[in-house]
Amino acid sequence: MNSRAHIVRKSYDTSFSLISKGNKTYSHRGFFILAKGDITENKSCLHRADDMQTLIAQSSFFEITVLLCLAAGVGIIGMLLRQPLIVAFIAIGILSGPTALDLVHSEEKINLLSELGIALLLFLVGIKLDLKLIKDIGVVSLATGLGQVFFTSAIGYGIGLLLGFDSVSSLYLGVALTFSSTIIIVKLLSDKREIDTLHGKIALGFLIVQDLVVVLSMIVLASMAVGDSGVNSKGMLSPLHATYGLIGLIIALAVFIRFIANPLTKTMARIPELLLIFSIAIATLLASVGKIIGLGMEVGGLLAGFALASTPYRETIATRLAPLRDFLLLFFFIGLGAQLHLSDLGANLTASLVFSLFVLIGNPLIVLIIMTKMNYRAKTGFLAGLTVAQISEFSLIFIAMGVSIGHIAPSVMGLVTLVGIVTIACSTYMISYSHQLYAVFEPVLLAIESRLMKKHAHIDSAAIETHSPHTIVFGLGRLGSYLLAQLNEQYSVLGVDVNPDEVLAMNNKGLQAVYGDVTDAEFTNELPLGNTQWVICTFPWHYTGVSFEDGRYALLQHLKQVGYKGKTIAVAHSQPDYERLTAAGFDVVILPHTQSAGQIRTIITGTQE
């Protein structure tokens, strides 16, 4: 037998020979069997593949073009599977890496775009960190957020130790598991029209807490890097000079925020394009300064955003930079994939599955327990808890910082990447079908609720009034709380809401309000309806599960079952909603937007006359 050919695969620098025997040609390693007549065609295909690889290697423009086309294709597949874009980005990074398609050859250019993306991502986080937000978070969001961060990081640390990781790696893993993706959660809740629900508002509140923890974690890592004597070997300043630089940066930022930011952005805002360029410039400038003094470009980007957070143009800046951030983050994941090997992912498969199950099940359970102990219904805690059943892009950036500092091994990045793929993909469906999941686990969740939740002030007509109230208002939002206060001046009025904070706020004002869920038939049966003449529903439509499509319908049906003889009023929030409520049987349906428009028209018409 004689060697017939040698084919060299450039990506892996390996070769194998084709052995001729009779009228067939066999590979020495048994990879394929070819007839002699097929060898020429096969060589042609290999040459075309080699030409493609050569073209990608020689032309950065062609390389970027191929990567963008791949991103568009994978993105379309992700969209059809109803997956967030970040899942497609991670998949693209792995596919374009050295152990898959090996498309990344311009590492320096990819890293540059990646660093710009990270700087803008952290800049947009910083620009949202207005100190006034801390006052608006709310006690439940603050307590739930801090509790979730503490318990998740502590349990994650313990799991890491049990799986054989060292203490430093376990600590990094525990902290990384606490971060959830605000971008994904806001998108999913908005699509389901649940942003303004109770669990939606609470979830957004503790996401702000998580963002604050992200900032603090990165600052801690950056300060550790500043104090590391090894940073000087990386071309940065010495620890002493870096400390001076940090002090100077803080002073400069304080002066900029106090005296320069507002008038400067006001001038820039006259030309929107100039404001955009200025924002990018300050983000990259402080990211560069942060890198020079050892803080890292991540913290530098955060500080740049914080410098503009108090300006009146921060929302405009954030809105215009968001698409650019998403585009550049693609290259962060491509650069990440270029450093990963499939062997790293496979080696940590068991650990990644354990951590993924903890995030998917443990994180929601932690939130559920905390909220139930704070007297929120199990359903509210369950729906809010599902929003933290994934890790975020910040988890990957946090781990990348640890790798760059030298605290943890690169293999940990592969582990967290795999956890990100699993948890983000699964949690997307969990949030999308959250109410169906609640229906499945409702018996277990109600058992947890009865065991953990303190007894609320159940309806006690003797304690509230000697007779049933004249009017009951369901929903103590802006309209409901105003109605309760106004009607209370003439009648005995009772307010009902599923949010304990709203009930407590009304009680503190001397108004009668109790905690209650309109979909709870037992609660409705306890209502003192003997002399009640009006029942008013002010809350909007929210999907409440399998039993009832609309909580207002549930209340109306329960009222009929207990023999309520008074009148009912419902507040509609759109024309189709108005028609549905009218058809459902409410005595009076009000459409505030239409009536407000009519009043404004009357005012304008009367003024003109």
Side-chain angles (χ1 to χ4, degrees):
M1 292 185 293
N2 297 320
S3 175
R4 303 287 296 175
H6 288 281
I7 303 174
V8 179
R9 298 297 302 273
K10 180 177 179 180
S11 301
Y12 300 99
D13 194 26
T14 62
S15 63
F16 54 88
S17 59
L18 299 181
I19 310 300
S20 176
K21 182 177 180 181
N23 63 344
K24 295 288 184 180
T25 301
Y26 304 89
S27 82
H28 183 64
R29 296 182 183 175
F31 286 102
F32 51 79
I33 299 176
L34 297 172
K36 283 184 176 179
D38 296 333
I39 294 178
T40 302
E41 181 180 353
N42 187 67
K43 286 182 177 180
S44 176
C45 292
L46 290 172
H47 282 311
R48 286 197 294 270
D50 286 341
D51 290 342
M52 178 70 71
Q53 287 287 345
T54 301
L55 186 57
I56 291 175
Q58 292 179 349
S59 173
S60 297
F61 183 82
F62 189 76
E63 177 184 344
I64 298 297
T65 301
V66 172
L67 290 172
L68 291 178
C69 291
L70 178 65
V74 175
I76 291 173
I77 296 173
M79 179 185 67
L80 295 176
L81 295 175
R82 301 181 64 181
Q83 286 296 316
L85 198 57
I86 187 174
V87 174
F89 281 2
I90 296 174
I92 293 161
I94 295 175
L95 284 174
S96 61
T99 52
L101 300 178
D102 192 26
L103 298 177
V104 179
H105 299 278
S106 304
E107 288 86 358
E108 185 176 349
K109 297 180 178 64
I110 296 295
N111 288 337
L112 172 61
L113 294 173
S114 170
E115 290 178 348
L116 285 172
I118 294 174
L120 285 183
L121 173 66
L122 275 301
F123 172 80
L124 292 180
V125 172
I127 206 171
K128 295 287 187 178
L129 292 180
D130 190 350
L131 294 178
K132 297 177 183 177
L133 290 176
I134 300 177
K135 300 178 182 179
D136 300 331
I137 288 176
V139 175
V140 62
S141 293
L142 183 61
T144 305
L146 293 176
Q148 182 263 327
V149 168
F150 174 78
F151 287 111
T152 299
S153 57
I155 297 173
Y157 174 77
I159 293 174
L161 292 177
L162 291 175
L163 291 173
F165 291 92
D166 61 80
S167 58
V168 176
S169 297
S170 298
L171 181 60
Y172 269 88
L173 287 167
V175 175
L177 297 180
T178 64
F179 305 143
S180 303
S181 179
T182 304
I183 299 173
I184 295 175
I185 294 170
V186 170
K187 177 68 167 60
L188 292 173
L189 291 179
S190 298
D191 290 345
K192 295 182 66 181
R193 298 181 180 179
E194 293 184 359
I195 282 287
D196 293 325
T197 61
L198 177 59
H199 68 270
K201 291 178 180 178
I202 293 173
L204 293 181
F206 59 63
L207 285 174
I208 294 175
V209 175
Q210 287 188 359
D211 288 342
L212 293 173
V213 174
V214 169
V215 173
L216 293 176
S217 300
M218 291 185 176
I219 290 175
V220 169
L221 284 185
S223 63
M224 294 172 70
V226 169
D228 186 357
S229 60
V231 295
N232 194 35
S233 62
K234 300 179 182 179
M236 299 180 183
L237 300 177
S238 65
L240 180 61
H241 290 105
T243 303
Y244 291 151
L246 177 59
I247 295 173
L249 178 61
I250 293 174
I251 295 174
L253 281 176
V255 173
F256 178 83
I257 293 172
R258 179 65 180 86
F259 300 104
I260 302 176
N262 280 337
L264 183 59
T265 52
K266 182 178 180 180
T267 302
M268 297 284 184
R270 297 174 184 174
I271 305 177
E273 293 80 5
L274 183 59
L275 180 63
L276 182 67
I277 294 173
F278 168 74
S279 302
I280 298 173
I282 194 171
T284 54
L285 173 62
L286 289 188
S288 300
V289 172
K291 192 171 184 178
I292 291 172
I293 66 177
L295 279 176
M297 62 181 182
E298 296 86 359
V299 176
L302 276 169
L303 294 176
F306 187 73
L308 298 179
S310 61
T311 66
Y313 305 100
R314 64 174 190 159
E315 293 297 337
T316 301
I317 295 171
T319 301
R320 299 194 62 146
L321 282 181
L324 179 60
R325 171 205 62 194
D326 295 339
F327 171 73
L328 292 174
L329 274 182
L330 167 65
F331 296 97
F332 166 73
F333 291 104
I334 290 175
L336 177 64
Q339 301 172 26
L340 291 177
H341 293 271
L342 294 180
S343 59
D344 292 337
L345 300 179
N348 292 311
L349 185 59
T350 301
S352 64
L353 290 178
V354 172
F355 281 118
S356 296
L357 288 174
F358 170 62
V359 173
L360 291 170
I361 301 174
N363 270 359
L365 189 59
I366 289 171
V367 171
L368 170 66
I369 293 174
I370 293 173
M371 291 186 62
T372 305
K373 291 293 289 182
M374 296 183 69
N375 291 333
Y376 282 84
R377 298 296 297 267
K379 182 175 183 179
T380 304
F382 177 78
L383 297 178
L386 289 181
T387 62
V388 295
Q390 88 285 126
I391 64 173
S392 76
E393 61 277 10
F394 292 114
S395 303
L396 298 174
I397 294 174
F398 179 76
I399 294 296
M401 289 182 68
V403 173
S404 65
I405 294 173
H407 288 173
I408 54 178
S411 59
V412 178
M413 175 61 79
L415 166 62
V416 175
T417 300
L418 193 54
V419 172
I421 295 174
V422 173
T423 58
I424 294 173
C426 292
S427 67
T428 299
Y429 295 119
M430 291 168 64
I431 296 173
S432 298
Y433 299 99
S434 56
H435 296 281
Q436 289 86 341
L437 282 175
Y438 174 78
V440 173
F441 297 106
E442 185 174 16
V444 177
L445 294 171
L446 291 180
I448 294 175
E449 176 183 298
S450 63
R451 193 174 189 85
L452 297 180
M453 191 172 76
K454 299 175 184 178
K455 294 296 182 181
H456 282 289
H458 289 292
I459 298 298
D460 184 352
S461 56
I464 298 174
E465 287 284 344
T466 56
H467 58 277
S468 63
H470 176 275
T471 302
I472 300 179
V473 179
F474 285 88
L476 299 179
R478 287 175 295 181
L479 177 59
S481 58
Y482 182 79
L483 272 175
L484 186 65
Q486 293 294 312
L487 293 173
N488 190 65
E489 296 177 359
Q490 294 179 277
Y491 307 102
S492 60
V493 187
L494 174 66
V496 180
D497 200 284
V498 74
N499 187 346
D501 291 339
E502 299 288 358
V503 173
L504 181 61
M506 294 298 102
N507 290 335
N508 290 337
K509 294 179 180 179
L511 301 173
Q512 299 176 51
V514 294
Y515 173 91
D517 186 347
V518 295
T519 63
D520 186 352
E522 181 180 354
F523 167 78
T524 311
N525 291 335
E526 294 178 357
L527 284 171
L529 297 170
N531 297 317
T532 301
Q533 299 182 29
W534 292 96
V535 169
I536 305 174
C537 294
T538 66
F539 56 89
W541 171 87
H542 294 306
Y543 182 79
T544 57
V546 178
S547 301
F548 296 99
E549 180 183 0
D550 192 322
R552 296 168 297 184
Y553 297 169
L555 176 62
L556 189 62
Q557 184 170 335
H558 290 158
L559 291 175
K560 291 178 180 179
Q561 290 174 352
V562 299
Y564 172 66
K565 303 298 183 182
K567 299 290 186 180
T568 55
I569 299 177
V571 178
H573 296 267
S574 66
Q575 187 61 37
D577 193 28
Y578 174 87
E579 296 170 359
R580 286 193 299 266
L581 292 173
T582 302
F586 281 93
D587 296 301
V588 180
V589 181
I590 300 172
L591 191 59
H593 302 299
T594 301
Q595 293 182 345
S596 298
Q599 290 181 347
I600 293 173
R601 178 179 178 277
T602 300
I603 293 172
I604 294 175
T605 304
T607 302
Q608 289 178 345
E609 293 175 355

